[in-house]
Amino acid sequence: MLVDKTMQIHSLTSLISSKARLYIAARQCGLRRGRAGVDGVDWKSYRRQLNANLSRLSRTLASGDWRPSGYSTIEVSSFTGKTFVAHCPTFEDRIVHRVIKSVLQPIADRYLFKDFASGWRASRNRLTALRRASEYLADYGTVVSFDIPCGTIGFSRLAAFETLKRIVKDRTLLGYIEAIFEPLPSIVSAGTGLSPFMTNVCLTEIDELLEALPVVRFGDDYVIFCHGEEEGKATISNVVRSMSERSLKLAQDRFSLINKPNLEDLFLL
C-alpha cells in the first residue's frame, strides 16, 4: 500500500475491515497450517463457510465491536535450543492480526522505522544489514555488538503505544491492537501475528537513542562502529547509562567489543 506523504493516517478501519483484504489474509494464514486456537477452529473448518465468516468479520471490524477470542499457550523450542512460551490466537484472530499488519507495516516503514534497522520488514533482512555494515567497516576498525533481551528489558506498553500513535490516529484500530495485547504478559510476547511488528515499534525507542551513531540493527541485534577499543568501551558505558535513564535494563555482559571483525560474523543468531 503506497502512502502519500500528505496523507493524514487516521482513517484505517475501512482498510482492515475490507473483505478483499481479509480474504487475502485468510488465505495467507491457511498456508501456514497452524494449530486450532481455543475455539477449536482450524483453516479446514473455517474455510467451509469462508464467505459468510469473512462477511461477518468485516462487519464486526467496521462497527468497532471486534474483540479477540483469547489465546492457547504452547511451549516451543527454537532451532537454537531455547524454549519459550508462545500464545496462539484463534484462526480468525490470526486473520485480523495479519490484516492489521498488512496495513500498518508500509506506513511504519515509511514514517517510523529507521533506515539502519533490518529484520521483520519486507526486503530488509540480514543481507541488507551486512551491506550497510560493510560500508562502515571501510572506515571503522572496531565494533560494539549487543542484543536486546526484548522479553526482559522492560519495554513499556504505554511507551510502545505512544510510539505507534505517532503514525496511527485511528482510535478504533488502536483499540483493537490494545485488546490483542491486553491478555498477554508482554507487548512483545511470542505467538501473535503482530509480535514482530510491535517488537520493531518497541525497538524504535532504542533506534532513536542510537541514530546519531554509526549503527546497524538486524532484528534485536545492534552493531555500533568505533575508532578503536577505547572509543568502544566509552560507547558501551554511554549506551548502558542512556538506556538506564529510560528504565531499560541492559547489563554490560551483553556487549561484545571486537577489533577487526569479519563481516560474515556479524548478526549471527
Side-chain angles (χ1 to χ4, degrees):
M1 181 184 66
L2 296 177
V3 181
D4 186 86
K5 287 190 175 183
T6 62
M7 178 180 177
Q8 291 184 327
I9 312 171
H10 61 267
S11 300
L12 298 174
T13 303
S14 61
L15 295 179
I16 66 167
S17 61
S18 160
K19 189 175 176 182
R21 284 180 175 272
L22 291 171
Y23 178 81
I24 293 171
R27 299 296 299 186
Q28 291 171 336
C29 290
L31 291 174
R32 297 182 67 86
R33 301 290 181 182
R35 65 164 58 195
V38 293
D39 60 357
V41 176
D42 59 11
W43 167 237
K44 184 177 180 180
S45 55
Y46 192 86
R47 69 180 179 183
R48 289 174 186 156
Q49 297 183 346
L50 184 61
N51 185 61
N53 285 333
L54 294 183
S55 294
R56 171 186 47 77
L57 181 58
S58 175
R59 291 192 298 270
T60 305
L61 287 167
S63 69
D65 293 332
W66 178 84
R67 292 296 179 270
S69 301
Y71 297 90
S72 58
T73 57
I74 58 171
E75 198 170 80
V76 178
S77 295
S78 69
F79 70 91
T80 61
K82 181 180 178 181
T83 300
F84 60 93
V85 174
H87 299 77
C88 302
T90 64
F91 185 82
E92 185 165 276
D93 285 358
R94 289 174 212 163
I95 296 173
V96 176
H97 297 185
R98 185 171 285 269
V99 79
I100 289 175
K101 181 185 175 184
S102 74
V103 169
L104 291 185
Q105 186 74 57
I107 299 172
D109 282 341
R110 182 164 184 177
Y111 293 104
L112 183 62
F113 298 153
K114 302 301 178 182
D115 284 342
F116 64 79
S118 296
W120 306 308
R121 302 173 64 185
S123 302
R124 287 179 180 265
N125 50 32
R126 181 171 179 261
L127 288 177
T128 57
L130 289 175
R131 288 192 196 105
R132 195 176 185 102
S134 69
E135 297 173 4
Y136 282 125
L137 285 176
D139 298 315
Y140 296 87
T142 302
V143 302
V144 170
S145 175
F146 62 98
D147 69 293
I148 300 296
C150 293
T152 60
I153 194 172
F155 284 132
S156 160
R157 291 174 188 259
L158 178 61
F161 279 103
E162 287 303 313
T163 300
L164 194 58
K165 287 176 183 177
R166 296 188 212 165
I167 58 169
V168 179
K169 306 301 181 184
D170 188 312
R171 293 183 180 180
T172 298
L173 177 53
L174 288 169
Y176 288 160
I177 299 173
E178 289 177 356
I180 288 169
F181 285 96
E182 190 203 359
L184 300 178
S186 167
I187 193 70
V188 293
S189 293
T192 82
L194 283 171
S195 295
F197 175 81
M198 289 304 294
T199 299
N200 265 334
V201 170
C202 290
L203 288 170
T204 295
E205 180 178 2
I206 299 175
D207 291 348
E208 292 176 345
L209 178 67
L210 302 177
E211 65 180 326
L213 302 174
V215 59
V216 179
R217 172 166 72 83
F218 170 60
D220 55 10
D221 291 338
Y222 287 83
V223 173
I224 302 174
F225 299 82
C226 306
H227 292 297
E229 190 170 327
E230 290 305 312
E231 183 179 318
K233 291 178 179 178
T235 296
I236 293 173
S237 297
N238 290 336
V239 171
V240 170
R241 183 180 64 254
S242 297
M243 292 181 65
S244 177
E245 291 170 354
R246 291 160 176 78
S247 299
L248 298 173
K249 302 173 184 177
L250 188 64
Q252 293 225 10
D253 61 9
R254 300 199 75 92
F255 291 83
S256 296
L257 186 60
I258 308 169
N259 288 311
K260 298 180 180 179
N262 184 332
L263 177 67
E264 291 298 324
D265 291 337
L266 300 179
F267 308 115
L268 294 175
L269 297 178

